[in-house]
Amino acid sequence: MDALKQRLLTTLAAFGQEHLLSFWDGLSPAEREALATEIQTVDFRLVADLFARSEDKTAIRELVSRATAPRSYRCGDPASAIPPDVARKRGVEALRAGHVAAMLVAGGQGTRLGFPHPKGMFPIGPVSGKTLFQIHLEKVLAASLRYGVRIPLYIMTSPDTHDETAAFLTEHGRFGIPAADVVLFCQGTMPAVDAKTGKVLLADRHRLALSPDGHGGMVTAFHRSGALDDALRRGIRHLFYFQVDNPLVHVCDPEFLGYHLLANSEFTTQVVRKREPLERLGNVIQVDGRLYVIEYSDLPDDLAARRASDGTLEIWAGSIAVHVMELPFLQRMAKATSGLPFHCAHKKVPYLDEQGNLIRPSEPNAIKFERFIFDLMPLAERAIVVEVDPERHFAPLKNASGHPSDTPESVRARLSAVYREWLRKTGFEVADHVPVEISPRFALDAEELQSRMLTRRPIVTPTYFG
Ligand code: UTP
């Protein structure tokens, strides 16, 4: 037996993972090297510990049973403890001072959507067919022009999405943002394990079934890649975090930033008021003065259904994964620990069986380990939530056409509905259901649209303002 195989076997045997070398003898030297490299990057002790703890939900129940309503502000609400115009003014100040950067996480595999490219390359513009990336980058560019400042954009990719994303953005000139202001960095991976046995799955004879380590992998990857230091060098203090699948996000929204700054928060998160107890959103709760997000799948039914005396849900705040975080806080977190905790998700993961056949399971067969960015929340000294209107802020693209929700069709319809509302506010007559679209470079909001010189003609056919 060769020395490398012997060394690997010794490591693997300690954790019952020797099967990873089942096909070793038939591999080429290059394939052996590739497999050995992957095996050496895996922390098998961690994987074993995570698998052993994967079913334990008692801690969550204990936490949720002590939940109270989080400290919150409502965007656009004059009765809010911080008036919206005061918040907006403070946010604009921070933007103009060059203290704000944008962080887009785009490392996910997008398995539910089933698109054979990074999700950011999906064409979603209801009239233009623009991709998610183009919409997001144009928003960052429009904000930087509006506030007369460079707004660096950090984009987290993963080994699954990195090369194609980099090539796509280069090919399109980063949609107008200077090269120096778009910084890509790649997140880490974790192996998927068989849900029954905890054995790491093989994706091929010489490859482990590795997947990105969750959006929470951002904390470690941002630091390790040097991108966090890049932001500090630029004088950035606040990071506006958003996810690639939501084209309705108000990137670098000054009002949202303003609540964060005036409340002296380290981590601020956008939420929507849940319509049902078990809506498919993370639930933001407050326990002993700290904020936590509990996944809807982890929320016990009886606790989810609890109502206050006025009939409203006690656990009412659903996270839409838009946050602002302080850079020094992120730096502290990246240095203090080996990373955020891992969560277990039961997923369908293709794998090689003992005979070397590729099996594509029809039911979840595996556990993936992922870090979630919202686990930063309880670690923040001060954290607040800001309520926004879901119709205007949240339309995530998650599923393929034909699914009941969050499909390309439903997201396009939601985008059109928002633009239709802006146009109507501006005095246009717009026929119902007609696709309309406004480029972020044309107007970032209804007020900016209002300020444009436009002929108010009735809109009855698909129309793009760009
Ligand atoms: P989701 O949790 O919806 O995952 O990601 P996904 O990969 O897009 O889709 P499915 O679950 O495989 O169908 C929410 C956001 O977090 C990013 C995604 O790119 C998306 O912006 N993300 C997720 C990462 O950047 N890295 C990850 O490891 C996971």
Side-chain angles (χ1 to χ4, degrees), residues 391-405:
E391 298 305 319
R392 299 195 177 104
H393 289 256
F394 187 51
L397 176 64
K398 297 284 186 194
N399 299 309
S401 302
H403 193 274
S405 63

Side-chain angles (χ1 to χ4, degrees), residues 75-281:
C75 251
D77 180 358
S80 210
I82 298 174
D85 49 340
V86 175
R88 201 169 303 119
K89 188 162 165 278
R90 181 66 190 91
V92 168
E93 260 169 38
L95 283 157
R96 287 203 188 285
H99 292 163
V100 180
M103 161 73 67
L104 167 60
V105 296
Q109 293 174 306
T111 42
R112 284 168 288 173
L113 183 62
F115 180 58
H117 304 286
K119 202 188 270 189
M121 289 167 61
F122 194 91
I124 201 68
V127 182
S128 66
K130 274 181 196 180
T131 60
L132 283 161
F133 277 140
Q134 181 166 1
I135 293 175
H136 292 315
L137 269 71
E138 286 185 346
K139 285 185 190 177
V140 175
L141 179 64
S144 79
L145 294 172
R146 178 185 277 197
Y147 302 110
V149 71
R150 288 167 72 177
I151 300 181
L153 170 64
Y154 297 93
I155 304 181
M156 183 169 84
T157 59
S158 65
D160 282 338
T161 65
H162 185 85
D163 292 351
E164 248 187 302
T165 300
F168 179 77
L169 295 180
T170 304
E171 184 190 336
H172 293 278
R174 296 156 306 278
F175 301 103
I177 305 182
D181 291 343
V182 178
V183 179
L184 268 59
F185 66 98
C186 194
Q187 70 180 108
T189 56
M190 280 292 279
V193 302
D194 180 277
K196 292 204 186 80
T197 61
K199 288 195 184 300
V200 170
L201 298 174
L202 279 170
D204 203 338
R205 290 167 188 249
H206 64 289
R207 279 194 309 121
L208 308 187
L210 297 175
S211 45
D213 60 356
H215 37 67
M218 185 275 267
V219 180
T220 311
F222 191 41
H223 178 56
R224 277 202 195 137
S225 64
L228 195 158
D229 282 338
D230 174 83
L232 288 169
R233 272 196 302 277
R234 290 173 191 249
I236 299 300
R237 298 183 190 169
H238 327 292
L239 206 60
F240 181 96
Y241 166 105
F242 63 110
Q243 305 194 155
V244 76
D245 47 26
N246 178 17
L248 273 188
V249 58
H250 296 202
V251 178
C252 296
D253 178 9
E255 186 182 336
F256 179 55
L257 284 161
Y259 293 117
H260 170 84
L261 293 166
L262 292 168
N264 202 17
S265 169
E266 283 194 320
F267 190 108
T268 298
T269 189
Q270 271 183 18
V271 296
V272 297
R273 193 162 282 277
K274 284 174 16 183
R275 279 163 293 209
E276 297 155 32
L278 288 175
E279 215 167 308
R280 295 169 76 90
L281 293 169

